[in-house]
Amino acid sequence: MKKIAFVTLGCKVNLYDSEAMAELFSEKGYEIVDFEDRADVYVINTCTVTNLGDKKSRQMIRRARRKNENAVIVATGCYAQVSPEDVAEIEGINIVIGTKDRAKVVEIVEQYNAEKGVLNAVSDIKGEKTFERLKVSNLKDRTRAFIKIQEGCNRYCTYCIIPYARGPVRSRLPEDIIDEVKVLAENGFKEVVLTGIHVASYGADLGSITLADIIEKVHQVEGIERIRFSSMEPKAVDSAFVERMAKLPKVCEHYHLSLQSGSNNTLKKMNRRYTAEEYEQACERLRNAFKDVAITTDIIVGFPTETEEDFKESYDFADKVKLSKIHVFPYSPKTGTPAAKMKPQIAPHVKNERSHKMLELSDRLNREFMSRYIGHNMEVLFERKEGEYYEGHTRNYIKVLCKSNEEISNRLINVRLTGIAGEETMYGELV
């Protein structure tokens, strides 16, 4: 039996793609081993969101070659798609695939002839119109299943390379999504996360279905108890969407609303297509509809041309709307994007200072949010045991640590929250 190892860099969509490819190899008799083990094939699912992502991808390719000089080394994912010639020149690489034709990865690997040198199998993604059918039916050591429902993005934010790496919006057929959800439910999964590159655009290319429609269809699947979905933009969270979600008890009270900046001046230069005021309105709709809703976000600090006034405006806005958690990213220039050419670029020490301030705000807001629930009973889906505690999450995505004398993994249990354990984490007692 041949052995294959995967390493995945970047986002949850990449993670799904890796799991789907692993399943393809497993079906052909390959044994999936840890990336640190010696394998016959290594697949590096690359990321190119930042130049650092490119660097890490190159490092992993070289590390794989050091583990077995006779192995077949495959690079797939966004860096491989955007810069196939650069990847093909990395010492040790054998096959470059990109973000298309992953469904054929086993065939490509098995037909590879080392004597012919590096195989560059990357094809143009810009005109792609079909969602590539990949599936995941089983996941090891997980109770939350990510299901990819959408690929690509048409937004072209000025800092983002992803539309060039993933191509235009393509939506997965609803029957394929429901079939996968049913299989996962049969395999014991109680929580699913609908994910994609720009999940709010689901159905835009199909014409007869929207994100709200597919969520309602998933809601009908027996065995699934919780539904989440990945990052959305505020304009997608309109009154009609919120009204429909409020009628679905399986939909969790946790929304990751992408902000990126609380300054309208910066948002315009980012090409984000909404204002801070529209973001605040989306937050108000969610809070009016869901009593315990958690609203998390991403914010970029030090975007090109961001003044001290712009940063303060962004900081004050995040504080004003009382987000429960902020994922802070110092701006990192990405070659090939308009923002990388903007002037002036912000000095690294200024970006670090602004990042530190925004992280402190995030920590304060997060503790304020969790403090509201001390003494409250909340439903927790327990996922695994780490040391003496079982770990799980509330519906509004507070991580909870609980002691138990019985096995409680993959169980939904009512828990009394007793105190704050750390960042995004609380202690609890079984009720």
Side-chain angles (χ1 to χ4, degrees):
M1 182 182 287
K2 287 190 173 182
K3 296 180 178 181
I4 183 167
F6 286 78
V7 66
T8 304
L9 303 168
C11 64
K12 292 293 191 294
V13 176
N14 250 15
L15 182 62
Y16 178 93
D17 292 341
S18 289
E19 288 169 341
M21 287 187 285
E23 198 160 295
L24 291 171
F25 277 99
S26 185
E27 289 170 355
K28 290 292 185 178
Y30 285 73
E31 179 187 356
I32 312 298
V33 299
D34 190 89
F35 186 74
E36 296 304 320
D37 296 340
R38 183 180 174 87
D40 302 294
V41 181
Y42 292 90
V43 177
I44 294 86
N45 200 349
T46 64
C47 175
T48 194
V49 167
T50 65
N51 292 336
L52 181 60
D54 296 351
K55 182 180 179 181
K56 287 183 178 178
S57 299
R58 294 192 294 269
Q59 288 172 342
M60 288 299 172
I61 291 168
R62 295 187 184 109
R63 184 185 296 183
R65 175 55 67 208
R66 289 195 297 270
K67 292 183 181 301
N68 184 358
E69 62 181 20
N70 297 314
V72 176
I73 312 295
V74 183
T76 183
C78 292
Y79 180 39
Q81 180 67 45
V82 172
S83 306
E85 292 83 8
D86 292 347
V87 176
E89 291 178 359
I90 298 171
E91 184 179 356
I93 194 70
N94 297 114
I95 301 171
V96 188
I97 295 180
T99 58
K100 187 179 171 185
D101 296 327
R102 275 85 49 90
K104 301 176 183 176
V105 64
V106 180
E107 178 185 342
I108 292 170
V109 167
E110 294 189 337
Q111 292 180 358
Y112 172 71
N113 184 343
E115 293 180 0
K116 293 184 178 179
V118 178
L119 171 62
N120 185 345
V122 176
S123 54
D124 186 25
I125 201 82
K126 290 195 291 289
E128 193 64 24
K129 295 181 179 179
T130 305
F131 182 92
E132 183 176 31
R133 294 184 69 179
L134 295 167
K135 67 178 178 65
V136 173
S137 58
N138 203 2
L139 298 158
K140 293 181 180 179
D141 306 319
R142 294 254 300 281
T143 59
R144 182 184 303 114
F146 290 87
I147 299 173
K148 182 178 171 184
I149 67 168
Q150 178 274 335
E151 177 69 275
C153 182
N154 299 338
R155 294 292 171 167
Y156 290 93
C157 298
T158 57
Y159 55 84
C160 186
I161 197 71
I162 295 305
Y164 307 93
R166 291 281 181 169
V169 167
R170 288 99 72 204
S171 302
R172 187 174 184 179
L173 293 175
E175 53 266 34
D176 282 354
I177 296 170
I178 300 306
D179 286 346
E180 184 165 313
V181 174
K182 286 179 177 177
V183 169
L184 289 164
E186 289 167 4
N187 287 335
F189 287 90
K190 291 183 170 65
E191 182 174 311
V192 293
V193 184
L194 307 182
T195 190
I197 297 299
H198 186 242
V199 74
S201 66
Y202 176 80
D205 55 324
L206 299 179
S208 57
I209 190 168
T210 65
L211 177 62
D213 294 331
I214 196 63
I215 292 169
E216 289 172 345
K217 290 179 183 293
V218 172
H219 195 275
Q220 296 171 14
V221 177
E222 290 186 16
I224 298 301
E225 301 292 339
R226 289 181 172 186
I227 301 169
R228 302 184 191 273
F229 26 89
S230 56
S231 177
M232 297 180 68
E233 60 194 28
K235 279 192 172 180
V237 185
D238 58 18
S239 298
F241 180 83
V242 172
E243 186 177 329
R244 290 173 72 175
M245 293 305 102
K247 295 176 181 176
L248 305 176
K250 294 180 182 179
V251 172
C252 291
E253 295 84 2
H254 173 223
Y255 286 77
H256 190 80
L257 279 193
S258 185
L259 176 59
Q260 306 304 356
S261 177
S263 161
N264 285 334
N265 181 44
T266 304
L267 286 171
K268 188 172 182 180
K269 290 177 181 176
M270 289 177 167
N271 193 31
R272 286 299 290 175
R273 308 188 193 193
Y274 56 82
T275 64
E277 290 74 23
E278 287 171 320
Y279 188 97
E280 186 174 9
Q281 290 163 10
C283 291
E284 288 174 359
R285 287 187 204 106
L286 291 171
R287 288 179 175 134
N288 288 335
F290 305 103
K291 179 171 70 78
D292 293 317
V293 69
I295 303 173
T296 57
T297 200
D298 304 314
I299 291 181
I300 296 172
V301 298
F303 187 78
T305 77
E306 183 186 64
T307 64
E308 281 298 328
E309 290 75 18
D310 293 332
F311 171 73
K312 186 177 186 305
E313 188 177 353
S314 185
Y315 179 99
D316 290 345
F317 178 79
D319 193 10
K320 175 186 175 185
V321 295
K322 299 301 177 188
L323 300 159
S324 59
K325 177 68 180 177
I326 304 169
H327 300 274
V328 181
F329 300 92
Y331 171 74
S332 177
K334 178 59 194 171
T335 305
T337 62
K341 299 177 182 177
M342 289 182 181
K343 303 292 183 183
Q345 295 284 321
I346 307 303
H349 76 276
V350 175
K351 286 191 279 190
N352 289 338
E353 182 180 302
R354 293 176 185 175
S355 178
H356 182 70
K357 288 179 180 177
M358 194 69 79
L359 284 168
E360 285 185 335
L361 173 63
S362 176
D363 290 342
R364 173 167 62 80
L365 293 173
N366 183 236
R367 293 184 77 84
E368 288 175 2
F369 177 75
M370 291 190 295
S371 295
R372 290 162 40 189
Y373 298 100
I374 294 174
H376 288 231
N377 291 352
M378 301 194 81
E379 178 193 80
V380 175
L381 174 59
F382 286 97
E383 294 149 25
R384 66 183 66 82
K385 190 174 185 181
E386 292 287 341
E388 60 181 328
Y389 291 98
Y390 281 91
E391 296 180 358
H393 285 85
T394 62
R395 290 172 56 92
N396 59 358
Y397 213 62
I398 297 171
K399 183 177 178 180
V400 177
L401 305 179
C402 236
K403 291 182 179 180
S404 174
N405 293 324
E406 58 178 316
E407 171 62 54
I408 58 174
S409 296
N410 203 31
R411 286 177 57 188
L412 287 160
I413 301 176
N414 213 21
V415 171
R416 181 175 177 269
L417 302 182
T418 58
I420 296 173
E423 184 182 358
E424 298 181 87
T425 307
M426 297 187 71
Y427 290 117
E429 297 175 345
L430 301 184
V431 176

